[in-house]
Amino acid sequence: AEHFPHWGVVYLGGHICSYDRKKLSSAGNCLVQAVSVYQTHAFVIRRCVIQELLRKLRMGFAADAAIVSWVRSAPARCFLFYPQQLLQQPGGADRWKDSDIFR
């Protein structure tokens, strides 16, 4: 927050479609600006952004669409840890998933 006081969203994972490759922080932080992140399941949303997201939800936006709409309106306020800091399991039919409990 010190280096990017106007941040709005930080993605904690996902696949990058496009981003600014320049490291945006010093002090050892690994952040890149991230506008097009797909297949993300976790992110941090700043409190000041919540009211805008709620407004979009009340207008009928789906949750994902509300977030994407906000991100596109404020690309300089969106970041992603890179390289990603969360463990990501490899894909494939043999990987563990919720539906395994029904086998």
Side-chain angles (χ1 to χ4, degrees):
E2 300 174 8
H3 299 286
F4 309 104
H6 301 296
W7 72 275
V9 170
V10 177
Y11 293 98
L12 301 178
H15 294 280
I16 304 167
C17 179
S18 64
Y19 66 97
D20 180 354
R21 289 184 184 266
K22 178 183 172 201
K23 293 278 169 111
L24 297 176
S25 68
S26 52
N29 293 331
C30 296
L31 288 176
V32 293
Q33 279 188 307
V35 178
S36 298
V37 177
Y38 298 95
Q39 297 181 330
T40 186
H41 300 287
F43 38 82
V44 177
I45 301 173
R46 194 167 191 170
R47 185 181 310 238
C48 62
V49 174
I50 296 297
Q51 289 303 317
E52 178 64 18
L53 294 179
L54 289 173
R55 186 183 70 75
K56 290 178 181 294
L57 291 171
R58 288 185 194 108
M59 290 172 51
F61 282 69
D64 286 351
I67 293 168
V68 168
S69 175
W70 185 87
V71 165
R72 288 181 179 165
S73 74
R77 297 180 65 194
C78 304
F79 298 91
L80 171 78
F81 286 109
Y82 189 84
Q84 295 183 15
Q85 305 297 307
L86 295 179
L87 172 65
Q88 295 185 13
Q89 299 297 325
D94 295 329
R95 71 177 176 86
W96 182 89
K97 50 188 173 278
D98 291 343
S99 59
D100 291 344
I101 63 174
F102 298 111
R103 288 186 187 187

